[in-house]
Amino acid sequence: MRLHRLEIAAFGPFSGTEVIDFDALSDAGLFLIQGRTGAGKTSILDAVCFALYGQVPGVRNAAKGLRSDHAPPGAGPRVVLETTIRGRRLRITRSPAWERPKLRGSGTTLEHAKVVLEESEHGGWIGLTTRLDEAGDLVSRMLGMTAVQFCQVAMLPQGEFAGFLRAGADERRKVLERLFAAEVFTQVEKWLADRRAATGREAAEFGAVAASIADRIAGTTGAAPPRGERPVVPAPRRGEPAVEPFAEVEALPAWAAELAGGHEDVRSTVEELRAGVTATLRAAREALDEAKAIADRRRRHAEAVARRDALAERAEEKSRLASRLDAAARADRAVPLVKDVQARYGEAARARRWADETRSRVAALLPPKAPEDVLAKAERDRRDQVAALDGHRRATARLKRIEDERAELGRELSRLEPEEAGLGAMVADLPGIVAARQAERDEARAAAARLAGAEAAATAARHRFEAARRRDQVEHLLGDAEAAHRDMVDAAQAARQRVLDLRQARLDGMAAVLAGELKDGEPCLVCGATEHPDPVASLAVIPTEEQVDEAQAAADSAQAGREESGRQVEALRTERDGLLETSGEVTAESLGEELAEADRTVRETAARAADAERLEEALHRDERELARVRDKREEITLALTANRTEDQKLADEQARLSAELDDARGDDPSLEARIARLGREADALAEAVEASRASGRADEELSAARAKARQGAEEQGFGTPEEVLAAALSDEDQGELRDGIRRLDDEEAAVRALLKDPALAAAAAEPEPDLAALEASVQVAEAAHTEAANAADRARHRCDRLAELRAELDRAVRAWRPAAERHAVAERLAGLTSGKHGANRHAMSLSAYVLAARLEQVVAAANERLHRMSGGRYALVHTTEKAAGDRTRGAGGLGLRVADSWTGLERDPVTLSGGESFITSLSLALGLADVVTAEAGGTEIGTLFVDEGFGTLDEETLDEVLDVLDGLRDGGRAVGIVSHVAELRARIPAQLRVAKDRAGSTARVVV
């Protein structure tokens, strides 16, 4: 990831709009973000993180509102970041939620957070998403890091790593868990701990079930339970194994079997006692039943004597019922004949009324009192007329069809005639339109032929115009270059003269120089004498060899500048001459006008040429339309001729059929009305004939029925039919009479049978038995039997219940055993993964073991930088022992020590000085950044920030640290240092300077 441009508006301490060109800073490789405390240096890093992830690092993310308090009321906060991630150029525009003033009225309204994510493609920005969640997910997937990982990798907060260096295992674990994907191992630890607790609860629950069954066995048998109190299923605390419910579960089945044997003995003894009491009760009940039977027979005999006397008094009633029943039976045989007379009388009356009604309806059609044969003849006449008129119905249907067909032809003519007229007008107009379209097409084709020449002319004009503009620029540059060249020639000559003057002055004063180097007793370099009585002295200033060398270097540099300026002048002259050949002496303004005219000609010609194809298609459409209209007009003309001919033919047929139907309907309004009238008259005459015949038949049948009724009554012993009806009874009434007689007969037979029973007669002769004494004996026997039976039932039920509970207990114990075994396995595994089991020799949890492997990688990467920063003195050492002050179990595996090569000992990080802690924590941060980057899939961080901590370093250590940071630029990476240390401003020329005042902070790039 490389940053290119950052725009901040009304964000943090920045009240206005600040634009930061990271490309300019990145070109320097190492740049400084400097400013006074509180100016907003860290806010720039916050803006970068907010643009990418929608949140700011650390505790600042919990602060409410990111909008600048210095910004105007209506100015909305905004961050725009242009960056390249995995080769894709992105622009992210984010705005946090803020309270803006209402557009109407007073108060504020909430403006929700917004984001626009765009990608550069083909020179433009293409929108990817405006959803907050989609933008964050896309950036996270491309970077391969969460926001926390990015802040640790790309922004290196030194204060946090100093704390990480000195932290205990738990704090160090929290930091590493945020950066590395160790959640799955933590979840495994939690799952195993939960599994241990769950299996402990399961075993305890199974044990509690067995204990509950044992309590029920004790309650059933009345024995004491196998332990003092009922166990409670324990709720294990986090990190502790579940407690076994009780240790006597295995002994419960044997205890229950012993109780069952004792109760089986009790059951057999009680059953023997019950059998003896049952025999005594049976004998007492038999004696009582015999006495009750004798008393019942004596009662039944007395009741039979009383019923016999009562039946003798009802003999006359029985004779009267038998006579009434006989008369009703005789009347039943004559009643149907009497009722038939009544029915025939009603039918004859109805037939006479029907005959009178039908004759009155046809009275207007016949002479008065016409006989039946006249009625029949009138009916036949009308039937014949209807048959004759039925043949004319087909003519009526045909006439209706003709009317419909003529109406349809009329509608078709009304539609076709205007259409024919319109098509005629189009046939007249379209040839002119086609001719005009052909002329336009020919003109467009000619323009297309001229287009290539116009474009070539425009290209030549543009080439001359650009050459003229470049010619004017080169002439201006040539003037400046010639002036600069003259100055360089003068400077080079002056520098050369300066060298010659210095060398001559040194030669002139060489004797004085040699004299100044003479010492008594040492030989002269010129003459070899050891005595120097009169050395030469010079009052002029004699230049040194260093001054001569410096002057010579200056002269060489001036000469090189002179030669370079000469080459530039020559190059510009050559370019100007070539441009003059192309553009000539014509001014750029004139050539620009010529180019504009050529471009206009090209545009006009291209526009006309572009219409050629369109006009060709339009011409084809017009020609096809003319042919279509001509064909359509001819088709409609033929249709009109055919329709008019068909209409005339139908009109003739319509007139003929209408005349025939007028003759057939006569005075009736229509043929159907005439047929319907004749049909109704024929039906009425037929009904009158039928009614007359039915009336005669009904009178004859009534006379015959009356004669049969009189004869039947006399045969059954009745004088008149009326007597028959009086003696008749319904079936229900006759049934009641027969039932009364039958009951009397049955009761007489039953009484006779009872009086003839020898047992009843013998019982009547015996004395009355003493039932009260016998019942008392039975009650005493029943009480003894009930008590013995209850005792036997209780013993049997107790044994049966005990057998059921023993079976339940066996099942519960069998279920408890595998649960206890599972709990033992889960307890061991949970203890091993949490580091709290004796088998875990390092007392290290599984997640700590995984994080310890990551920490080893971090330490290895950190030591590469720490070795250079500390001059080879210090190295970090990862240890599985607990850190100082850690008292928790399972805290091993994340320890850090510092190896001091000067003493050969390892030290606790808390013993390091401020500067030593800084370089150690910086090395740790850089190492962690390398490991997290590799963990995230190797995403390259092209722009890296180091935040503060440099004020604790001495000059030599600062040099080493800067060398290490400068080495981070390998591969084109840019490193930004956030600091207000004054010495860094002198060492790092590329700077982002942040200033603050009452109106808010500003940022300025200085390169």
Side-chain angles (χ1 to χ4, degrees), residues 46 50 54-66:
D46 291 347
F50 177 75
Q55 64 185 61
V56 296
V59 296
R60 296 188 299 279
N61 192 49
K64 296 294 184 181
L66 297 174

mmCIF file with all atom_site columns, all heavy atoms in Angstrom, residues 46 50 54-66:
data_model
loop_
_atom_site.group_PDB
_atom_site.id
_atom_site.type_symbol
_atom_site.label_atom_id
_atom_site.label_alt_id
_atom_site.label_comp_id
_atom_site.label_asym_id
_atom_site.label_entity_id
_atom_site.label_seq_id
_atom_site.pdbx_PDB_ins_code
_atom_site.Cartn_x
_atom_site.Cartn_y
_atom_site.Cartn_z
_atom_site.occupancy
_atom_site.B_iso_or_equiv
_atom_site.pdbx_formal_charge
_atom_site.auth_seq_id
_atom_site.auth_comp_id
_atom_site.auth_asym_id
_atom_site.auth_atom_id
_atom_site.pdbx_PDB_model_num
ATOM 1   N N   . ASP A 1 46 ? -4.527  9.636  12.080 1.00 0.00 ? 46 ASP A N   1
ATOM 2   C CA  . ASP A 1 46 ? -5.927  9.291  12.321 1.00 0.00 ? 46 ASP A CA  1
ATOM 3   C C   . ASP A 1 46 ? -6.744  9.422  11.038 1.00 0.00 ? 46 ASP A C   1
ATOM 4   O O   . ASP A 1 46 ? -7.608  8.592  10.746 1.00 0.00 ? 46 ASP A O   1
ATOM 5   C CB  . ASP A 1 46 ? -6.522  10.204 13.399 1.00 0.00 ? 46 ASP A CB  1
ATOM 6   C CG  . ASP A 1 46 ? -5.929  9.934  14.776 1.00 0.00 ? 46 ASP A CG  1
ATOM 7   O OD1 . ASP A 1 46 ? -5.256  8.886  14.925 1.00 0.00 ? 46 ASP A OD1 1
ATOM 8   O OD2 . ASP A 1 46 ? -6.129  10.750 15.677 1.00 0.00 ? 46 ASP A OD2 1
ATOM 9   N N   . PHE A 1 50 ? -8.832  6.561  9.330  1.00 0.00 ? 50 PHE A N   1
ATOM 10  C CA  . PHE A 1 50 ? -10.281 6.762  9.193  1.00 0.00 ? 50 PHE A CA  1
ATOM 11  C C   . PHE A 1 50 ? -10.720 6.597  7.746  1.00 0.00 ? 50 PHE A C   1
ATOM 12  O O   . PHE A 1 50 ? -11.765 6.007  7.466  1.00 0.00 ? 50 PHE A O   1
ATOM 13  C CB  . PHE A 1 50 ? -10.657 8.154  9.703  1.00 0.00 ? 50 PHE A CB  1
ATOM 14  C CG  . PHE A 1 50 ? -12.114 8.475  9.539  1.00 0.00 ? 50 PHE A CG  1
ATOM 15  C CD1 . PHE A 1 50 ? -13.062 7.922  10.374 1.00 0.00 ? 50 PHE A CD1 1
ATOM 16  C CD2 . PHE A 1 50 ? -12.531 9.311  8.522  1.00 0.00 ? 50 PHE A CD2 1
ATOM 17  C CE1 . PHE A 1 50 ? -14.406 8.198  10.203 1.00 0.00 ? 50 PHE A CE1 1
ATOM 18  C CE2 . PHE A 1 50 ? -13.870 9.595  8.343  1.00 0.00 ? 50 PHE A CE2 1
ATOM 19  C CZ  . PHE A 1 50 ? -14.809 9.040  9.193  1.00 0.00 ? 50 PHE A CZ  1
ATOM 20  N N   . GLY A 1 54 ? -12.730 3.705  8.479  1.00 0.00 ? 54 GLY A N   1
ATOM 21  C CA  . GLY A 1 54 ? -13.865 4.356  9.122  1.00 0.00 ? 54 GLY A CA  1
ATOM 22  C C   . GLY A 1 54 ? -13.724 4.468  10.620 1.00 0.00 ? 54 GLY A C   1
ATOM 23  O O   . GLY A 1 54 ? -14.718 4.675  11.321 1.00 0.00 ? 54 GLY A O   1
ATOM 24  N N   . GLN A 1 55 ? -12.511 4.330  11.161 1.00 0.00 ? 55 GLN A N   1
ATOM 25  C CA  . GLN A 1 55 ? -12.269 4.473  12.590 1.00 0.00 ? 55 GLN A CA  1
ATOM 26  C C   . GLN A 1 55 ? -10.837 4.951  12.786 1.00 0.00 ? 55 GLN A C   1
ATOM 27  O O   . GLN A 1 55 ? -10.008 4.844  11.879 1.00 0.00 ? 55 GLN A O   1
ATOM 28  C CB  . GLN A 1 55 ? -12.488 3.139  13.317 1.00 0.00 ? 55 GLN A CB  1
ATOM 29  C CG  . GLN A 1 55 ? -11.523 2.033  12.901 1.00 0.00 ? 55 GLN A CG  1
ATOM 30  C CD  . GLN A 1 55 ? -11.864 0.705  13.556 1.00 0.00 ? 55 GLN A CD  1
ATOM 31  O OE1 . GLN A 1 55 ? -12.932 0.159  13.365 1.00 0.00 ? 55 GLN A OE1 1
ATOM 32  N NE2 . GLN A 1 55 ? -10.944 0.187  14.342 1.00 0.00 ? 55 GLN A NE2 1
ATOM 33  N N   . VAL A 1 56 ? -10.579 5.506  13.984 1.00 0.00 ? 56 VAL A N   1
ATOM 34  C CA  . VAL A 1 56 ? -9.249  6.027  14.288 1.00 0.00 ? 56 VAL A CA  1
ATOM 35  C C   . VAL A 1 56 ? -8.591  5.097  15.296 1.00 0.00 ? 56 VAL A C   1
ATOM 36  O O   . VAL A 1 56 ? -9.263  4.352  16.005 1.00 0.00 ? 56 VAL A O   1
ATOM 37  C CB  . VAL A 1 56 ? -9.329  7.469  14.829 1.00 0.00 ? 56 VAL A CB  1
ATOM 38  C CG1 . VAL A 1 56 ? -9.891  8.397  13.777 1.00 0.00 ? 56 VAL A CG1 1
ATOM 39  C CG2 . VAL A 1 56 ? -10.184 7.529  16.089 1.00 0.00 ? 56 VAL A CG2 1
ATOM 40  N N   . PRO A 1 57 ? -7.252  5.123  15.398 1.00 0.00 ? 57 PRO A N   1
ATOM 41  C CA  . PRO A 1 57 ? -6.568  4.139  16.250 1.00 0.00 ? 57 PRO A CA  1
ATOM 42  C C   . PRO A 1 57 ? -6.811  4.373  17.738 1.00 0.00 ? 57 PRO A C   1
ATOM 43  O O   . PRO A 1 57 ? -7.053  5.489  18.200 1.00 0.00 ? 57 PRO A O   1
ATOM 44  C CB  . PRO A 1 57 ? -5.084  4.349  15.905 1.00 0.00 ? 57 PRO A CB  1
ATOM 45  C CG  . PRO A 1 57 ? -5.071  5.081  14.608 1.00 0.00 ? 57 PRO A CG  1
ATOM 46  C CD  . PRO A 1 57 ? -6.308  5.917  14.600 1.00 0.00 ? 57 PRO A CD  1
ATOM 47  N N   . GLY A 1 58 ? -6.718  3.259  18.473 1.00 0.00 ? 58 GLY A N   1
ATOM 48  C CA  . GLY A 1 58 ? -6.635  3.293  19.933 1.00 0.00 ? 58 GLY A CA  1
ATOM 49  C C   . GLY A 1 58 ? -7.867  3.864  20.593 1.00 0.00 ? 58 GLY A C   1
ATOM 50  O O   . GLY A 1 58 ? -8.991  3.797  20.095 1.00 0.00 ? 58 GLY A O   1
ATOM 51  N N   . VAL A 1 59 ? -7.643  4.478  21.764 1.00 0.00 ? 59 VAL A N   1
ATOM 52  C CA  . VAL A 1 59 ? -8.749  4.985  22.583 1.00 0.00 ? 59 VAL A CA  1
ATOM 53  C C   . VAL A 1 59 ? -9.407  6.190  21.937 1.00 0.00 ? 59 VAL A C   1
ATOM 54  O O   . VAL A 1 59 ? -10.523 6.557  22.309 1.00 0.00 ? 59 VAL A O   1
ATOM 55  C CB  . VAL A 1 59 ? -8.241  5.350  23.998 1.00 0.00 ? 59 VAL A CB  1
ATOM 56  C CG1 . VAL A 1 59 ? -7.742  4.125  24.712 1.00 0.00 ? 59 VAL A CG1 1
ATOM 57  C CG2 . VAL A 1 59 ? -7.128  6.401  23.909 1.00 0.00 ? 59 VAL A CG2 1
ATOM 58  N N   . ARG A 1 60 ? -8.746  6.833  20.974 1.00 0.00 ? 60 ARG A N   1
ATOM 59  C CA  . ARG A 1 60 ? -9.354  7.997  20.341 1.00 0.00 ? 60 ARG A CA  1
ATOM 60  C C   . ARG A 1 60 ? -10.605 7.609  19.562 1.00 0.00 ? 60 ARG A C   1
ATOM 61  O O   . ARG A 1 60 ? -11.452 8.455  19.285 1.00 0.00 ? 60 ARG A O   1
ATOM 62  C CB  . ARG A 1 60 ? -8.352  8.663  19.396 1.00 0.00 ? 60 ARG A CB  1
ATOM 63  C CG  . ARG A 1 60 ? -7.139  9.222  20.108 1.00 0.00 ? 60 ARG A CG  1
ATOM 64  C CD  . ARG A 1 60 ? -6.275  10.043 19.173 1.00 0.00 ? 60 ARG A CD  1
ATOM 65  N NE  . ARG A 1 60 ? -5.740  9.288  18.054 1.00 0.00 ? 60 ARG A NE  1
ATOM 66  C CZ  . ARG A 1 60 ? -4.668  8.506  18.118 1.00 0.00 ? 60 ARG A CZ  1
ATOM 67  N NH1 . ARG A 1 60 ? -4.025  8.350  19.280 1.00 0.00 ? 60 ARG A NH1 1
ATOM 68  N NH2 . ARG A 1 60 ? -4.224  7.856  17.058 1.00 0.00 ? 60 ARG A NH2 1
ATOM 69  N N   . ASN A 1 61 ? -10.745 6.345  19.205 1.00 0.00 ? 61 ASN A N   1
ATOM 70  C CA  . ASN A 1 61 ? -11.926 5.913  18.455 1.00 0.00 ? 61 ASN A CA  1
ATOM 71  C C   . ASN A 1 61 ? -13.186 5.986  19.299 1.00 0.00 ? 61 ASN A C   1
ATOM 72  O O   . ASN A 1 61 ? -14.290 6.057  18.771 1.00 0.00 ? 61 ASN A O   1
ATOM 73  C CB  . ASN A 1 61 ? -11.728 4.484  17.949 1.00 0.00 ? 61 ASN A CB  1
ATOM 74  C CG  . ASN A 1 61 ? -12.783 4.087  16.940 1.00 0.00 ? 61 ASN A CG  1
ATOM 75  O OD1 . ASN A 1 61 ? -13.047 4.813  15.995 1.00 0.00 ? 61 ASN A OD1 1
ATOM 76  N ND2 . ASN A 1 61 ? -13.401 2.947  17.145 1.00 0.00 ? 61 ASN A ND2 1
ATOM 77  N N   . ALA A 1 62 ? -13.021 5.957  20.625 1.00 0.00 ? 62 ALA A N   1
ATOM 78  C CA  . ALA A 1 62 ? -14.186 6.019  21.513 1.00 0.00 ? 62 ALA A CA  1
ATOM 79  C C   . ALA A 1 62 ? -14.687 7.443  21.692 1.00 0.00 ? 62 ALA A C   1
ATOM 80  O O   . ALA A 1 62 ? -15.770 7.656  22.238 1.00 0.00 ? 62 ALA A O   1
ATOM 81  C CB  . ALA A 1 62 ? -13.841 5.415  22.888 1.00 0.00 ? 62 ALA A CB  1
ATOM 82  N N   . ALA A 1 63 ? -13.910 8.434  21.268 1.00 0.00 ? 63 ALA A N   1
ATOM 83  C CA  . ALA A 1 63 ? -14.313 9.833  21.432 1.00 0.00 ? 63 ALA A CA  1
ATOM 84  C C   . ALA A 1 63 ? -15.497 10.138 20.516 1.00 0.00 ? 63 ALA A C   1
ATOM 85  O O   . ALA A 1 63 ? -15.592 9.640  19.403 1.00 0.00 ? 63 ALA A O   1
ATOM 86  C CB  . ALA A 1 63 ? -13.151 10.773 21.118 1.00 0.00 ? 63 ALA A CB  1
ATOM 87  N N   . LYS A 1 64 ? -16.441 10.957 21.026 1.00 0.00 ? 64 LYS A N   1
ATOM 88  C CA  . LYS A 1 64 ? -17.617 11.315 20.266 1.00 0.00 ? 64 LYS A CA  1
ATOM 89  C C   . LYS A 1 64 ? -17.284 12.466 19.310 1.00 0.00 ? 64 LYS A C   1
ATOM 90  O O   . LYS A 1 64 ? -16.891 13.544 19.744 1.00 0.00 ? 64 LYS A O   1
ATOM 91  C CB  . LYS A 1 64 ? -18.755 11.740 21.208 1.00 0.00 ? 64 LYS A CB  1
ATOM 92  C CG  . LYS A 1 64 ? -19.239 10.629 22.121 1.00 0.00 ? 64 LYS A CG  1
ATOM 93  C CD  . LYS A 1 64 ? -19.893 9.502  21.322 1.00 0.00 ? 64 LYS A CD  1
ATOM 94  C CE  . LYS A 1 64 ? -20.452 8.437  22.259 1.00 0.00 ? 64 LYS A CE  1
ATOM 95  N NZ  . LYS A 1 64 ? -21.056 7.330  21.520 1.00 0.00 ? 64 LYS A NZ  1
ATOM 96  N N   . GLY A 1 65 ? -17.438 12.267 18.021 1.00 0.00 ? 65 GLY A N   1
ATOM 97  C CA  . GLY A 1 65 ? -17.300 13.332 17.043 1.00 0.00 ? 65 GLY A CA  1
ATOM 98  C C   . GLY A 1 65 ? -15.868 13.527 16.598 1.00 0.00 ? 65 GLY A C   1
ATOM 99  O O   . GLY A 1 65 ? -14.965 13.714 17.421 1.00 0.00 ? 65 GLY A O   1
ATOM 100 N N   . LEU A 1 66 ? -15.643 13.498 15.306 1.00 0.00 ? 66 LEU A N   1
ATOM 101 C CA  . LEU A 1 66 ? -14.329 13.754 14.734 1.00 0.00 ? 66 LEU A CA  1
ATOM 102 C C   . LEU A 1 66 ? -14.273 15.110 14.038 1.00 0.00 ? 66 LEU A C   1
ATOM 103 O O   . LEU A 1 66 ? -13.232 15.487 13.520 1.00 0.00 ? 66 LEU A O   1
ATOM 104 C CB  . LEU A 1 66 ? -13.987 12.649 13.725 1.00 0.00 ? 66 LEU A CB  1
ATOM 105 C CG  . LEU A 1 66 ? -13.873 11.231 14.309 1.00 0.00 ? 66 LEU A CG  1
ATOM 106 C CD1 . LEU A 1 66 ? -13.672 10.232 13.191 1.00 0.00 ? 66 LEU A CD1 1
ATOM 107 C CD2 . LEU A 1 66 ? -12.729 11.145 15.304 1.00 0.00 ? 66 LEU A CD2 1
#
